[in-house]
Amino acid sequence: MSSTTTPRAVRRTPFAVKLRRDYPLLLMAVPAVVLLLLFTYIPLLGNVIAFMDYVPFIPIHQSPWVGLENFQRLFSDPRFWSALVNTLQITTLNLVLYFPVPILLAVLLYSVTRPYLRTVVQSVLYLPHFLSWVIVVGLFQQILGSTGVVNRMILENGGSTIDFLTNPTTFKLLVTSQVIWKDAGWGTIIFIAALAAIDNSLYEAAAIDGAGAWSRFWHVTLPGIRPIIILLLILRLGEALNVGFEQILLQRDAVGPAAAEVLDTYVYYNGVVASDWSLGIAAGLLKGVIGLVLVLAANKAAHMFGESGIYERSPR
């Protein structure tokens, strides 16, 4: 478009033309759309149970409506507030301790100049991601358990055993360290791709100007990957209340529900184990609404700081 073209001269492409032009792409998207409808959006209709006294042995439309009674029971349940506090504490620890680790690992890996060495280190770091939580928790028990490697070394040196795995006080740090060990290496993939997109001439110009390693990181590397950091942080906030159902469930009995009950296990024990489906779904629905609010708030904050976030602002 020339610089003299006026907005009135811009003609929109008709919908029929767009359809003929893009129909191969639309056909390719059909299976994904069908799967989303079947397994994501249609099941959302089941959230109406949160407003009913649901009885699983009769058709769902015959269960009586109770309005917000299930939410009132939820808010008056001290176990719910305990689960919410535990969830928020684990989420905060994950954001503070886990989220920066993949960034730092990616920067360190990208600084390795030997491709063979970088490939080997990356493969070793990716491997824990493919292990199930059962194996990860078992490994931690073999290392930190009462008869594990660490405690045996302490006993051999005249000390007394330390209760690493069943201590409610340090349980949240334990689950955060497990998340870091399992997924930090896998999380470096996106950041390494973002680092590869930075123009090397920027590093060369900074080096010519006398910038050291820290200055190049602060003024070239960090601004280059900042959009990816903000995007992943927003997505992370959207799942802030998902702190690992399987991981927590495997270790909950060792430390007790007071320290290990989170919203996911609260929904499981109330909805599935106690068969109070309405209360469990009310808790799950509330968790989803909070996650949506966090995503929208974080995206709005990203727009205020000049970033695009997870979707662009509509032009005024």
Side-chain angles (χ1 to χ4, degrees), residues 21 30 34 95 169 226 283:
R21 183 191 63 192
V30 167
V34 171
L95 286 176
T169 306
R226 188 175 61 185

Side-chain angles (χ1 to χ4, degrees), residues 209-254:
D209 290 340
W214 172 252
S215 295
R216 291 198 296 274
F217 169 76
W218 188 257
H219 296 289
V220 179
T221 303
L222 202 55
I225 62 175
R226 188 175 61 185
I228 297 297
I229 293 175
I230 293 176
L231 175 64
L232 293 183
L233 182 60
I234 294 173
L235 295 177
R236 187 80 183 175
L237 286 175
E239 297 183 347
L241 301 184
N242 294 326
V243 291
F245 169 74
E246 187 179 357
Q247 178 195 12
I248 301 294
L249 187 66
L250 288 169
Q251 303 174 92
R252 176 179 177 273
D253 292 340

Side-chain angles (χ1 to χ4, degrees), residues 44 47-48 50-51 68 71 74-75 80 84 88 234 237-242 263-264 267 280-298:
L44 287 177
N47 285 319
V48 297
F51 305 95
L68 298 177
F71 291 94
L74 192 66
F75 294 142
F80 167 74
L84 180 61
L88 292 176
I234 294 173
L237 286 175
E239 297 183 347
L241 301 184
N242 294 326
L263 287 179
D264 287 333
V267 171
I281 291 178
L285 180 61
L286 184 66
K287 191 183 78 167
V289 171
I290 294 174
L292 176 63
V293 171
L294 286 175
V295 168
L296 295 177

